[in-house]
Amino acid sequence: MKYEAVIGLEVHVQIKTRSKMFTRVAAGYGHDENTLTDPVVLALPGVLPVLNKAALDAIIKAGLMIGCEIPAVCKWDRKNYFYPDSPKNYQITQYDQPICIGGHVEIELPGPSRNVMGEHKKIPVTRIHLEEDVGKLNHGAIDSLVDYNRAGTPLMELVSEPAMHSADEAYAFLTSLRNTLVYGGISDCDMEKGQMRCDANISIRPIGEKKLGTKVELKNLNSISFVRDGIEHEIKRQIAVLESGGTLIQETRDYDGQTGASQSLRTKEMAHDYRYFPDPDLMPVKVDAEWKSRIQSGIPELPFDKQRRFQEQLSVPFTITSVLVPDRDLSAYFEEAAKLAGPGKAQAVGNWIVNDLLRELGASKLSLADSKVKPAHIAALVKLVDAGTVLTSAAREIFVEMFATGDQPDGIAERKGLKAAPTDAGELEQWCRDSIVANPKALAEFKSGKDSAINAFKGPIMKAAKGKANPKAVDETLRKLLATM
Amino acid sequence: MSSELIYQPISQLADQLASKKVSSVELTQAIVARTKAVDPKVKAFNSFDEADALAQARASDERRAAGQARGPLDGIPIGIKDVISVEGQPLTASSKMLANFVSPYDATVTKKLKNAGAVCWGRLNLDEFAMGSSTENSAFHTTSNPYDLDRVPGGSSGGSAAAVAAGEAIATLGSDTGGSIRQPAALCNVVGLKPTYGLVSRYGLIAFASSLDQIGPFTRTVEDAAITLGAIAGYDPLDSTSFKTEIPDYLAELSKRKGPWKIGIPKEYFGEGLDPEVAAAVEKAVSYYEKLGCEIKNVSLPHTEYGVGVYYIIATAECSSNLGRYDGVRYGHRSKDAKDITELYFKSRAEGFGPEVKRRIILGTYVLSSGYYDAYYLRAQKVRTLIRQDFLNAYKEVDVILTPTAPTPAFKKGEKASNPLAMYLSDIYTIGVNLAGLPGLSIPCGFSKSGLPIGLQLIGQPFKEAELLSIAHTYDRAHDWATRHPNL
């Protein structure tokens, strides 16, 4: 029997705010244990929460970016459960009236080859809500210590519809969501720092069947690759159980990305009763049209929209846009350089960035912000090549020097004698004549209409010019002469 | 000298402090001496810090000497219920759970009192975590009613009421979730005010039921209640449920506002279970207002009978969640012999909480659990809205509602302790006010034949404390119940 997987994701993302969600103490990562706390974070007797509006702004922005509806009112609920990393033993979250409803995440599936864009799909989103994060347990040999630095950090939870059917789709969903949230400045989505975490709900059913199969929740997926591996593993496991005549049980499983194994955490019967109820310490929040439009006006272009624009309006191929677009800063860098280089030069600009700049940055372990090569450098270099002032081979050398020194390409070309020689027209014409005469075969081909045959004449000319002839002038002179022959 | 000082109202003491007839240190010493003399009998206090109080008093005297006195509360010793935090002082909620807890921060009301110059004095006993109507649920000791040491002072703010009645504080702060200020005020012959929900910040008040809790003062006179309320009321950015509203000068408003008022008498509050002596005293108060020219109108609050039921669903639901933080992990009682985290929770909570607190946590956990939420909690919230609507409808016809505060005078210790339901009914006249979020006030209105105090409750419209206090002040000024003191 052929099976189809049905996958829904619950993604938790830490929101980038200066302070925590319900108090003024700073939010942050990598500080000494329990230094980012105050009476509210530690839930001391008598304290009360006060909402950080910046966290709400961020969620509304995230929602508007993926086309969610923002209801006029959202409210706060308590999710009650006992766990030592939860200081109040309830978590303030949103149960039945979240900030964002609906929307979708556009995804791109792997293409037939690396150089070709894959299929795009829209995966519907159920909701996004805001809640507070919990602390962290550090288990020792005989004790467990709690660090509340993370407790109370604003956390968004996005729940997708069960509308994905493969591990690849889930992988693409998370990649796209991460790009979008990074673009919006909502989170850095660094999974290593726990800024983005994911649970997956997976079931399988025979192809053609409408009813959903028994759902298994996979927890502890803390990298995008682990999500893909975990889901693949789980689909195989479920199929194997059914094929061997077994039945699946509704359960929560813990997936270990390192070992690739999963184990049961709890079954439906052991599920928590969270006893949700409206938090009496917090008032419902009214989100009016003015608030929404203020946030709407700050929303950036979405990654895939940007990619389409680069390809359609700037004629930059997928191979380049697929490298540029996932990185917001790199895209902005590219756009600035392309603008400075002028119309029609975007692809050349893109080539320099994707091939040379990224290679040099990688080799020197520098970030884009550290680069001495600025967009203006790239634009200037493209212009030099385009004008024939330097040859492509020389330009490569110039780039390396430019990367090391931050000097302008024109100056480097001058200093290092890399400029194409200003050719004496008579001398050039003589070299061209010599070359044509020396290659009657190519001449015959050219005259019979094979335009590319012209290239056969260029090598000897360059040799004669010691590599410094302006290729544009060489081409023009050759064509002029050939026309008379 | 000292007995003259300890029973004076704030209004008179403020004059004496201003004219330097008495210093705050002298006043505070008198209060300390009185407390040391009578508290072994009354047991209103869980703890007090004499040195700290005298240091505050000295600071007040120095301010005054420098011409920087801050108003009528400057130098006045005010006791604080042991459920409201005072920086550096114990905060026990009268529970074993917090027996050794010292608060590292000030509640907003504490800060405001300190800013007004008041001397924060002592930690007053209560029913554990403010759950109860007799102060018998304190994990430490039961406070006695100063008028009859065999009887309860009411609850949960029994310590706060008894301290004012016994002259162990000039005023005190309590908290009122279902009547916990008004009922003990009535039983102890003092004035107790529960403000409109949202008027006084709850930041620093250990939460029992967040949507019902409100801090308020115990005082000798309505005038003093106006002074104290003025000091603690107002919007607090640390409390999301606090209300942005202009705070009038309650004291100045007292005599400005004159009746005659329209006074509503809800028939549902004068039925079965009301002690005849209480009924008679309250009826006398009604006739006083009538003689004053007030229009007495019968009103109906038809959902009154559901009040106690709705209250115990909402209050226990909220408390089951609010008390989740007492788990032995970060502070408070931790069981010594727990083997794992589950045992740590079970044992710490089993050892730390008393029976009434456990009863309410279990009840609250039940009414919130899936499958029962709609039948209990959600339905209770709907009825709560109806109860509030009853009051608001009544206020279309009257300015204020007048009722008894408690159905009976102070009962004997142990009398209701074994019957939770009977105990719950002692708040029957006060609970509706909390469910509706309204201001309510209890003033002394007489004594039973056996010498036990009786209280009168006036229920005002939301945020109209100024008017409520004026109406009460008119009665208070014309009667001398509050000038009677217990024989200790």
Side-chain angles (χ1 to χ4, degrees):
Chain A
M1 197 184 293
K2 282 264 187 195
Y3 292 97
E4 173 191 53
V6 180
I7 303 158
L9 296 179
E10 287 169 23
V11 190
H12 284 98
V13 180
Q14 259 185 31
I15 300 304
K16 205 157 57 170
T17 51
R18 280 200 299 275
S19 54
K20 294 197 178 183
M21 189 163 147
F22 293 111
T23 175
R24 289 184 188 144
V25 78
Y29 178 83
H31 296 75
D32 287 345
E33 288 87 351
N34 292 310
T35 51
L36 304 180
T37 63
D38 69 355
V40 176
V41 170
L42 295 176
L44 293 191
V47 296
L48 293 171
V50 177
L51 180 65
N52 176 358
K53 208 159 159 259
L56 213 62
D57 281 350
I59 306 291
I60 294 172
K61 189 176 185 184
L64 290 174
M65 285 180 83
I66 62 165
C68 296
E69 184 207 328
I70 316 292
V73 178
C74 64
K75 74 167 174 64
W76 306 99
D77 300 278
R78 292 186 183 176
K79 179 181 181 179
N80 295 285
Y81 65 98
F82 280 83
Y83 204 71
D85 64 4
S86 167
K88 298 185 289 292
N89 287 315
Y90 63 80
Q91 181 189 28
I92 304 175
T93 180
Q94 299 189 300
Y95 182 55
D96 55 354
Q97 288 181 257
I99 303 176
C100 306
I101 293 172
H104 62 264
V105 172
E106 182 179 356
I107 65 166
E108 181 188 336
L109 293 170
S113 81
R114 279 179 65 137
N115 300 337
V116 181
M117 182 187 265
E119 184 197 352
H120 279 230
K121 269 188 167 181
K122 287 179 173 177
I123 304 295
V125 166
T126 314
R127 57 183 278 168
I128 308 177
H129 69 253
L130 183 55
E131 60 189 29
E132 52 176 349
D133 209 342
V134 294
K136 223 176 129 183
L137 285 179
N138 297 318
H139 297 289
I142 53 150
D143 54 10
S144 293
L145 302 173
V146 203
D147 177 7
Y148 291 108
N149 279 355
R150 198 178 67 183
T153 303
L155 195 65
M156 75 172 237
E157 180 174 341
L158 178 146
V159 180
S160 85
E161 293 284 294
M164 286 165 272
H165 300 292
S166 70
D168 278 343
E169 287 189 356
Y171 183 88
F173 183 93
L174 288 173
T175 306
S176 171
L177 180 65
R178 181 172 65 182
N179 290 347
T180 303
L181 295 176
V182 171
Y183 262 60
I186 290 154
S187 173
D188 295 331
C189 295
D190 187 334
M191 285 185 99
E192 271 182 24
K193 292 180 184 169
Q195 290 170 351
M196 189 174 187
R197 310 189 291 265
C198 178
D199 302 334
N201 288 303
I202 304 150
S203 63
I204 57 167
R205 63 185 171 193
I207 286 182
E209 171 71 57
K210 288 265 181 289
K211 222 178 88 201
L212 288 171
T214 303
K215 179 179 83 176
V216 170
E217 186 186 31
L218 218 52
K219 279 206 174 291
N220 228 354
L221 303 168
N222 52 10
S223 91
I224 296 190
S225 304
F226 289 169
V227 173
R228 181 158 57 188
D229 300 348
I231 291 172
E232 240 155 39
H233 173 270
E234 179 58 24
I235 293 171
K236 279 188 200 141
R237 190 190 68 85
Q238 291 189 16
I239 291 173
V241 169
L242 291 188
E243 303 244 288
S244 66
T247 47
L248 291 161
I249 51 165
Q250 188 172 329
E251 62 180 339
T252 299
R253 296 181 74 85
D254 185 70
Y255 179 76
D256 185 337
Q258 304 296 337
T259 63
S262 70
Q263 57 170 341
S264 186
L265 276 180
R266 59 180 172 267
T267 62
K268 193 183 175 186
E269 283 67 38
M270 296 151 69
H272 292 297
D273 181 353
Y274 291 117
R275 308 190 321 276
Y276 285 99
F277 77 108
D279 191 323
D281 288 329
L282 290 161
M283 306 303 275
V285 180
K286 289 188 180 131
V287 184
D288 58 18
E290 195 195 332
W291 188 353
K292 271 187 268 188
S293 71
R294 177 173 59 76
I295 293 174
Q296 185 81 54
S297 67
I299 283 181
E301 183 180 30
L302 290 180
F304 283 131
D305 292 340
K306 185 169 290 225
Q307 188 169 17
R308 279 187 278 268
R309 182 166 59 81
F310 284 177
Q311 291 176 195
E312 286 157 20
Q313 293 178 14
L314 301 178
S315 305
V316 180
F318 172 76
T319 44
I320 294 186
T321 60
S322 65
V323 179
L324 291 176
V325 169
D327 185 330
R328 181 184 56 169
D329 297 337
L330 196 64
S331 304
Y333 182 99
F334 159 76
E335 278 213 78
E336 194 188 337
K339 201 172 140 202
L340 292 169
K345 305 291 180 288
Q347 183 176 351
V349 166
N351 279 330
W352 281 111
I353 294 172
V354 167
N355 296 326
D356 298 82
L357 179 63
L358 290 185
R359 184 192 61 235
E360 295 297 326
L361 285 175
S364 57
K365 295 199 167 64
L366 289 175
S367 76
L368 184 64
D370 302 326
S371 169
K372 288 179 189 165
V373 173
K374 303 298 175 196
H377 288 92
I378 306 267
L381 187 61
V382 166
K383 280 183 181 168
L384 283 182
V385 173
D386 195 58
T389 313
V390 298
L391 304 177
T392 308
S393 54
R396 290 250 144 75
E397 204 179 325
I398 292 170
F399 189 94
V400 173
E401 179 70 9
M402 195 162 82
F403 188 85
T405 62
D407 291 345
Q408 287 300 325
D410 193 54
I412 296 170
E414 193 72 56
R415 192 169 74 228
K416 300 195 120 189
L418 292 170
K419 280 196 175 174
T423 322
D424 176 274
E427 197 177 20
L428 179 61
E429 202 171 308
Q430 191 52 52
W431 291 334
C432 289
R433 255 181 229 286
D434 293 350
S435 181
I436 294 170
V437 171
N439 198 342
K441 188 167 161 253
L443 176 63
E445 277 176 13
F446 184 82
K447 292 201 86 158
S448 70
K450 191 180 170 195
D451 194 69
S452 65
I454 194 168
N455 293 328
F457 304 122
K458 289 177 182 173
I461 299 170
M462 282 297 173
K463 207 170 172 187
K466 297 191 177 84
K468 290 189 182 181
N470 183 330
K472 220 171 169 179
V474 170
D475 194 78
E476 278 166 14
T477 310
L478 273 173
R479 286 184 190 276
K480 198 176 74 190
L481 288 171
L482 286 167
T484 64
M485 288 181 180
Chain B
M1 170 78 175
S2 76
S3 67
E4 286 162 25
L5 283 177
I6 59 167
Y7 276 124
Q8 281 186 28
I10 297 168
S11 48
Q12 287 174 29
L13 287 168
D15 288 344
Q16 295 191 55
L17 286 164
S19 62
K20 299 189 180 150
K21 279 190 190 134
V22 67
S23 69
S24 174
V25 168
E26 286 168 321
L27 174 59
T28 305
Q29 278 169 339
I31 289 292
V32 171
R34 172 70 173 178
T35 303
K36 285 179 173 171
V38 302
D39 210 55
K41 285 190 270 185
V42 179
K43 294 188 172 169
F45 287 80
N46 282 340
S47 64
F48 54 78
D49 185 339
E50 184 179 346
D52 177 63
L54 287 171
Q56 293 179 64
R58 263 193 302 281
S60 169
D61 287 337
E62 281 161 20
R63 267 197 304 276
R64 202 174 293 280
Q68 290 163 349
R70 290 173 182 170
L73 287 181
D74 204 337
I76 306 284
I78 295 185
I80 299 186
K81 186 177 181 180
D82 204 355
V83 78
I84 297 169
S85 60
V86 180
E87 190 182 330
Q89 295 294 326
L91 178 63
T92 71
S94 287
S95 178
K96 271 190 219 160
M97 189 57 94
L98 291 173
N100 298 311
F101 185 76
V102 173
S103 179
Y105 75 102
D106 270 331
T108 298
V109 289
T110 309
K111 232 176 213 149
K112 286 188 166 204
L113 282 184
K114 287 179 177 174
N115 288 341
V119 173
C120 292
W121 163 238
R123 318 292 297 138
L124 293 158
N125 196 20
L126 62 144
D127 282 302
E128 183 177 4
F129 282 100
M131 298 176 194
S133 309
S134 66
T135 317
E136 289 166 290
N137 294 330
S138 166
F140 306 140
H141 49 254
T142 300
T143 298
S144 298
N145 190 312
Y147 287 87
D148 180 346
L149 296 175
D150 291 333
R151 291 178 186 265
V152 302
S156 64
S157 311
S160 299
V164 175
E168 299 174 79
I170 302 303
T172 57
L173 291 188
S175 66
D176 189 317
T177 307
S180 290
I181 290 175
R182 290 156 290 155
Q183 183 254 21
L187 270 44
C188 292
N189 197 41
V190 295
V191 174
L193 170 65
K194 182 251 150 193
T196 308
Y197 185 79
L199 184 68
V200 175
S201 169
R202 291 185 294 119
Y203 187 78
L205 166 68
I206 290 185
F208 159 19
S210 310
S211 75
L212 300 161
D213 297 341
Q214 190 64 189
I215 294 172
F218 287 90
T219 54
R220 299 194 194 299
T221 64
V222 172
E223 213 173 39
D224 284 5
I227 293 169
T228 315
L229 179 66
I232 60 172
Y235 172 71
D236 179 11
L238 296 177
D239 177 355
S240 311
T241 60
S242 103
F243 196 73
K244 277 184 186 154
T245 179
E246 204 56 28
I247 301 303
D249 182 341
Y250 293 113
L251 186 61
E253 295 287 312
L254 276 188
S255 41
K256 268 194 216 161
R257 293 168 188 253
K258 292 207 164 61
W261 296 281
K262 288 181 195 162
I263 297 177
I265 310 291
K267 60 171 192 266
E268 292 83 359
Y269 283 55
F270 290 85
E272 207 184 325
L274 179 58
D275 180 280
E277 284 189 287
V278 173
V282 171
E283 271 150 28
K284 253 183 122 177
V286 173
S287 46
Y288 161 78
Y289 280 112
E290 201 167 15
K291 273 182 224 142
L292 211 62
C294 294
E295 187 182 337
I296 311 295
K297 294 188 80 165
N298 286 321
V299 293
S300 177
L301 303 169
H303 295 94
T304 297
E305 61 172 309
Y306 306 112
V308 173
V310 164
Y311 174 84
Y312 279 95
I313 289 170
I314 291 171
T316 58
E318 292 182 8
C319 98
S320 72
S321 173
N322 283 333
L323 269 58
R325 68 190 58 193
Y326 307 105
D327 58 7
V329 172
R330 293 164 309 287
Y331 51 78
H333 177 75
R334 175 186 285 190
S335 178
K336 284 189 172 59
D337 50 354
K339 288 185 192 67
D340 57 30
I341 186 65
T342 310
E343 259 195 43
L344 181 79
Y345 288 149
F346 278 111
K347 291 195 170 176
S348 298
R349 288 167 70 80
E351 293 163 13
F353 289 138
E356 183 61 24
V357 170
K358 286 177 190 162
R359 179 154 44 236
R360 296 198 192 195
I361 289 173
I362 290 166
L363 189 55
T365 302
Y366 177 78
V367 301
L368 285 179
S369 54
S370 63
Y372 298 103
Y373 179 89
D374 287 5
Y376 295 108
Y377 184 79
L378 200 63
R379 183 168 295 198
Q381 288 291 15
K382 287 176 181 167
V383 179
R384 179 180 188 172
T385 305
L386 296 175
I387 288 171
R388 179 174 166 85
Q389 208 50 55
D390 281 354
F391 279 102
L392 298 182
N393 285 340
Y395 288 127
K396 288 176 189 158
E397 295 179 41
V398 298
D399 300 308
V400 71
I401 289 169
L402 187 154
T403 76
T405 306
T408 65
F411 44 92
K412 286 217 156 125
K413 288 177 187 168
E415 189 181 322
K416 299 184 182 181
S418 58
N419 186 347
L421 285 179
M423 185 75 88
Y424 294 171
L425 289 175
S426 38
D427 292 334
I428 190 162
Y429 299 138
T430 49
I431 271 172
V433 169
N434 299 76
L435 290 169
L438 304 171
L441 177 148
S442 179
I443 32 172
C445 76
F447 285 84
S448 71
K449 283 190 200 85
S450 54
L452 295 171
I454 294 170
L456 169 76
Q457 178 176 231
L458 293 167
I459 303 168
Q461 301 176 51
F463 298 105
K464 291 198 176 169
E465 270 77 359
E467 181 164 48
L468 176 68
L469 287 162
S470 292
I471 297 169
H473 178 58
T474 306
Y475 177 90
D476 193 30
R477 209 175 32 184
H479 296 81
D480 65 351
W481 307 117
T483 61
R484 298 200 196 172
H485 305 302
N487 214 353
L488 282 165

